[in-house]
Amino acid sequence: MHQIDVPPAGVEFNGLGGEGVFGEASLGYDQDFGSWVAGVMVDARYSGMTSELDLGGGQINLDTDYGFDVLGRVGMKVNEATLAYALAGYSWQHFDLNASDPIGDIIDWGSNGFCVGGGLETAMSDKMTVGIEYRYSQFEKHDFSADLGAPDGSITSTPSFHTVRIDAKYKFN
């Protein structure tokens, strides 16, 4: 989701959502402390997701193409097979702003941010878990003003994601 502000014109677009394909690879380690579990994980993602703004005759697209998270998580065992957990950490994402012809590519940039969330994970065996997880990621505000020849601070975007994951994990130990 992106919030785009153009203060001089009094224009604000909020809730522009992305549509497309999303893929992710994760690597992590958890340490079991009895009824508590703590761990770290690194996720790398690729996305074909685009937020599209139709301007009646042309369009502007904001592509969210690749990024990564470095997260810590802490959880409590609800029972012998189920873990409820919270996670938080650093996120980085690459974005690409482009428009329909004849304009084409406008700017691409990388943005630092944070991620918070939580989930439930249930063991199906000693090697396999299934789970559901929610994450909220927010990235630093980007000022497009200079790139578009406008006064500083006149066109900005503050990207954020709400992500729900349903997954199956295999443990290699």
Side-chain angles (χ1 to χ4, degrees):
M1 185 177 304
H2 299 273
Q3 178 169 320
I4 300 173
D5 300 308
V6 186
V11 176
E12 179 181 293
F13 303 102
N14 191 350
L16 297 175
E19 295 179 7
V21 176
F22 182 84
E24 181 176 79
S26 297
L27 208 69
Y29 175 78
D30 287 329
Q31 180 65 46
D32 190 330
F33 296 100
S35 62
W36 292 89
V37 173
V40 294
M41 57 190 186
V42 176
D43 296 336
R45 65 184 159 273
Y46 176 78
S47 164
M49 296 175 72
T50 297
S51 295
E52 186 177 294
L53 179 60
D54 189 352
L55 300 173
Q59 67 187 37
I60 297 175
N61 299 317
L62 183 56
D63 299 329
T64 306
D65 45 11
Y66 57 88
F68 68 89
D69 301 316
V70 179
L71 304 167
R73 82 175 186 161
V74 75
M76 185 179 82
K77 292 179 183 174
V78 176
N79 58 43
E80 197 55 39
T82 303
L83 177 71
Y85 63 90
L87 56 80
Y90 172 79
S91 289
W92 183 86
Q93 185 67 42
H94 182 263
F95 299 98
D96 182 22
L97 182 67
N98 56 70
S100 53
D101 288 334
I103 297 173
D105 288 338
I106 298 172
I107 183 174
D108 67 320
W109 75 100
S111 188
N112 298 303
F114 68 89
C115 179
V116 295
L120 286 172
E121 188 173 275
T122 299
M124 304 305 286
S125 72
D126 63 337
K127 300 271 188 192
M128 179 80 141
T129 62
V130 295
I132 185 165
E133 179 180 277
Y134 167 78
R135 291 187 191 178
Y136 172 76
S137 302
Q138 183 174 316
F139 301 92
E140 43 191 16
K141 181 186 282 188
H142 187 78
D143 186 350
F144 297 103
S145 307
D147 302 310
L148 302 174
D152 282 349
S154 61
I155 304 172
T156 63
S157 173
T158 307
S160 63
F161 306 149
H162 295 273
T163 309
V164 175
R165 293 169 167 75
I166 298 171
D167 63 22
K169 296 177 186 170
Y170 182 79
K171 297 179 183 182
F172 296 98
N173 57 353

